[in-house]
Amino acid sequence: MRTFTTARSAALVVSAIASRAAAISLDVDSTSSIKSAASTIASGLYSYYDSSTEGGLPSPYYWWEAGAMWGGFLHYWHYTGDTTYNDVLKSTLVSQFNETTNDFMPWAERYSEGNDDQAFWGFDSMAAAEFGFSESSPSWITVTENLFNSQARRWDTTTCGGGLKWQIYTWNNGYDYKNSVSNGAFFNIAARLAAYTGNDTYVEWAEKVWTWMNDVGLMDSSYNVFDGTDDTDDCSTINKYQWTYNVAMMLHGSAVLENYLSSSTWKTRAAGLLDAFEVFVGPYDNSTNIMYEAQCEKSANCSQDEQSFKAFAARWLAKTIQLSSWTKSTIMPWLKASAKGAAASCSGGDDGVTCGSKWYIGGWDGKSGVGQQLAALEVIQSLLVGSSSSPSSEVDSDSSSSSSTSSSTKSSSTAKAATTTKSSSTSKSTKESTLESSSASESSSSDSSSDSDSSSSDSSSSESSSQSTTIAENTSSTADADSTSASSVSSVSDDASSTVAVAAAESAYSTLSTVIAASVSSSTGRTYSTATASYGYGSSNTTGTLGTGTTSASASASLATFAGAGSTISPASKSTLLGGLFMMLIAMASAGMIL
């Protein structure tokens, strides 16, 4: 296992000079060479795996990046046929299913994860279905649809006319931020679910997200995709940072819909996004076609999360070629030049083949990590996209899925096109100048959502009266919004039986009771009275006994008892309780239960 010690850092710097000649050999036109290079890099990436951690990556890496890493291994298998990592890949993905909701909200992460974090695991289950990866139970497509439906219920019309918030819960920093990665991921998954299932309700959702992002200003008339916006000012101010993966994610989703619908509208949009991506190619005159993270890379100011963004850009660019062949003449030169540069960067570390960040310097830059290793793997293995099978679908195979929400009949209706007028593209030099000038101050910005978890990972570890009040003020509106937006999912979620929903809510309550009992075992069974309004589940004083009752009538009373009269509870335990209360309320509201 790699560690992040001072001694290791010093050794890496020395190796940067001593082992440049040991760079991974790569012939971008040779299948065997590409597979060999990918195998070496995949082995290095796997060395970061730690089976004792949630999702498989140790600190300082976040849960979302573990999901992104397993997506890299899934594509590695699909492109190369190498099954070395498949058993661990499958068992890890399945281990992150929530046993009640059957989506990617494991109990260890559910109170701190954001919509984008969840989506990166959803990309994995979606790709597993498309690739015909060894089936899970429930099926990959069922899990993906469950995840999609949970996000559809979180579509927030209380501000900015719609959109997904970055964070799911009020107590996490970034809850008031609506960003492109969360909404773009929702769009991407919607497009792919439409193509896979033939259910055009997903097309309607994709159109809805696209139109909202365009209307609110997260995309401009030249198809530049910006980081996000603050919903406390009704999204009137846009954070115009740009990242490779945002535009590539939207491009891939557009290519999916162009292919699925044979749509000239989506082809026009894909073409615009492809033009917009050029700002991330060729940082210098002598590095033509090599991709880089324009917002931070030249200034060596990329964060840990941002080091991985090129991985997903390369992944989605390659998949775009497969769906929209007209893009190949533009994208493949980018992938080939970037793959050559990435291979040259894989010349550092103690092993002589550790990959770096900058693909345009002809060697290793002294930086390493999961993001760097994953980015190199993705761009190199993506060269095999032309010889890999296209994404499969239920429609193509005429097979039925175990998912209760998918439809095997493709609607004849064409997606409703949002009116988007493409203006003449801003010159690349002008866009580069804008990005470089904004990057000078990026390290001091508190608004950027590029670090998916860093702003929220520690925020739930303490409790204050103001937090309790915030939860109380937001619980009702959030539950109502979930209940209201659930109906707009139409056939995607209307098939779910209310009995199942009630059972899920009561199961969530039962699990929560267990968590509370474990946290305050010394107080179990003792009653206490509280002004329940401050915890968001009532408006009057209530008494009860911990763990009693599993119906809506007794739930609020039994949940009130989490500590004995006069006893104390740690801030961390109280925070866990409040998170559980909030989630149970949402589940019950969605099930039509009244507290």
Side-chain angles (χ1 to χ4, degrees):
M1 182 56 56
R2 301 179 186 218
T3 58
F4 297 83
T5 63
T6 302
R8 176 165 174 76
S9 297
L12 292 177
V13 172
V14 172
S15 295
I17 299 173
S19 61
R20 282 179 185 264
I24 291 175
S25 175
L26 175 66
D27 178 349
V28 296
D29 296 312
S30 166
T31 297
S32 60
S33 177
I34 295 168
K35 287 185 177 181
S36 177
S39 175
T40 299
I41 297 170
S43 177
L45 179 61
Y46 190 72
S47 71
Y48 288 93
Y49 170 61
D50 182 349
S51 61
S52 68
T53 61
E54 189 72 26
L57 282 180
S59 178
Y61 299 104
Y62 296 113
W63 179 73
W64 81 269
E65 195 161 0
M69 179 184 75
W70 294 117
F73 281 116
L74 182 61
H75 284 77
Y76 172 77
W77 159 74
H78 180 66
Y79 287 138
T80 69
D82 185 353
T83 61
T84 298
Y85 308 104
N86 283 16
D87 288 345
V88 177
L89 165 61
K90 180 178 180 179
S91 63
T92 305
L93 291 181
V94 172
S95 74
Q96 300 306 293
F97 294 174
N98 181 288
E99 62 183 15
T100 300
T101 55
N102 287 321
D103 58 10
F104 287 108
M105 289 198 86
W107 285 104
E109 298 293 331
R110 66 181 298 130
Y111 302 134
S112 61
E113 69 179 83
N115 282 305
D116 57 339
D117 306 330
Q118 185 187 37
F120 266 90
W121 287 87
F123 291 143
D124 296 349
S125 57
M126 187 71 247
E130 293 168 333
F131 295 164
F133 187 62
S134 176
E135 193 56 272
S136 63
S137 180
S139 68
W140 299 119
I141 195 62
T142 296
V143 171
T144 308
E145 291 189 303
N146 289 343
L147 181 152
F148 179 88
N149 289 340
S150 73
Q151 296 206 344
R153 289 191 294 271
R154 292 196 288 269
W155 184 260
D156 173 43
T157 58
T158 62
T159 60
C160 311
L164 284 180
K165 289 175 173 284
W166 176 22
Q167 298 299 324
I168 299 172
Y169 307 112
T170 58
W171 53 84
N172 286 332
N173 292 333
Y175 179 76
D176 296 322
Y177 198 61
K178 292 186 174 180
N179 58 0
S180 289
V181 64
S182 297
N183 288 279
F186 187 50
F187 164 80
N188 184 283
I189 292 174
R192 293 161 70 179
L193 281 172
Y196 188 89
T197 67
N199 184 340
D200 280 350
T201 302
Y202 293 117
V203 175
E204 294 171 7
W205 267 108
E207 283 279 7
K208 185 175 185 176
V209 178
W210 176 280
T211 301
W212 179 81
M213 291 182 67
N214 187 67
D215 288 348
V216 83
L218 290 182
M219 285 188 291
D220 67 11
S221 59
S222 296
Y223 295 91
N224 296 305
V225 182
F226 303 119
D227 188 82
T229 183
D230 189 341
D231 69 4
T232 60
D233 65 1
D234 205 35
C235 300
S236 61
T237 304
I238 303 297
N239 176 354
K240 292 197 173 183
Y241 285 178
Q242 296 181 59
W243 309 102
T244 54
Y245 73 155
N246 279 336
V247 65
M249 177 165 48
M250 298 299 294
L251 171 60
H252 175 231
S254 299
V256 170
L257 292 172
E258 178 206 342
N259 181 277
Y260 171 60
L261 299 169
S262 299
S263 166
S264 60
T265 295
W266 284 107
K267 182 175 182 178
T268 297
R269 292 170 176 175
L273 290 162
L274 188 63
D275 287 345
F277 193 85
E278 290 185 6
V279 71
F280 302 110
V281 179
Y284 299 104
D285 291 341
N286 63 349
S287 55
T288 304
N289 287 332
I290 296 178
M291 292 190 292
Y292 74 112
E293 204 61 62
Q295 192 68 60
C296 61
E297 194 171 305
K298 289 169 70 173
S299 59
N301 200 29
C302 295
S303 71
Q304 176 181 286
D305 283 9
E306 293 157 10
Q307 298 286 1
S308 68
F309 290 175
K310 289 184 296 185
F312 321 124
R315 179 192 298 178
W316 289 318
L317 286 173
K319 291 159 82 78
T320 294
I321 292 175
Q322 201 167 43
L323 295 161
S324 301
S325 58
W326 58 269
T327 65
K328 181 178 179 179
S329 61
T330 298
I331 294 176
M332 190 53 73
W334 295 346
L335 294 179
K336 285 187 174 182
S338 298
K340 288 179 181 178
S345 82
C346 297
S347 57
D350 297 336
D351 57 8
V353 289
T354 293
C355 302
S357 302
K358 297 179 178 180
W359 296 345
Y360 48 84
I361 64 173
W364 190 50
D365 61 357
K367 297 182 180 296
S368 63
V370 170
Q372 291 90 333
Q373 204 74 17
L374 178 60
L377 175 64
E378 292 273 17
V379 74
I380 289 174
Q381 67 190 18
S382 289
L383 298 178
L384 299 172
V385 69
S387 59
S388 67
S389 60
S390 299
S392 63
S393 71
E394 293 174 329
V395 176
D396 292 339
S397 63
D398 194 30
S399 63
S400 61
S401 167
S402 62
S403 169
S404 63
T405 60
S406 62
S407 167
S408 62
T409 303
K410 178 178 177 180
S411 168
S412 61
S413 63
T414 305
K416 296 181 287 294
T419 303
T420 305
T421 304
K422 180 181 176 184
S423 64
S424 56
S425 299
T426 306
S427 68
K428 179 182 173 185
S429 60
T430 301
K431 290 192 285 185
E432 274 189 329
S433 177
T434 300
L435 288 175
E436 288 171 0
S437 62
S438 65
S439 68
S441 61
E442 69 179 345
S443 61
S444 63
S445 171
S446 60
D447 292 331
S448 175
S449 63
S450 62
D451 289 350
S452 298
D453 279 326
S454 58
S455 69
S456 64
S457 59
D458 295 324
S459 61
S460 63
S461 63
S462 63
E463 173 65 357
S464 66
S465 59
S466 61
Q467 182 191 56
S468 298
T469 302
T470 300
I471 294 172
E473 292 170 349
N474 284 280
T475 298
S476 177
S477 61
T478 304
D480 290 344
D482 266 24
S483 180
T484 300
S485 60
S487 63
S488 66
V489 182
S490 188
S491 60
V492 178
S493 64
D494 284 347
D495 290 339
S497 119
S498 59
T499 301
V500 173
V502 171
E506 292 188 350
S507 176
Y509 164 73
S510 178
T511 303
L512 176 60
S513 294
T514 301
V515 172
I516 298 170
S519 300
V520 291
S521 57
S522 63
S523 302
T524 301
R526 296 164 66 184
T527 61
Y528 115 122
S529 177
T530 181
T532 57
S534 64
Y535 295 100
Y537 56 80
S539 59
S540 62
N541 291 343
T542 306
T543 61
T545 302
L546 177 65
T548 62
T550 56
T551 66
S552 58
S554 60
S556 61
S558 57
L559 282 171
T561 308
F562 65 93
S567 67
T568 60
I569 181 171
S570 70
S573 295
K574 187 179 290 185
S575 179
T576 298
L577 169 68
L578 292 172
L581 290 173
F582 188 69
M583 281 306 300
M584 194 200 74
L585 284 167
I586 292 176
M588 287 183 167
S590 297
M593 300 169 68
I594 301 176
L595 292 176

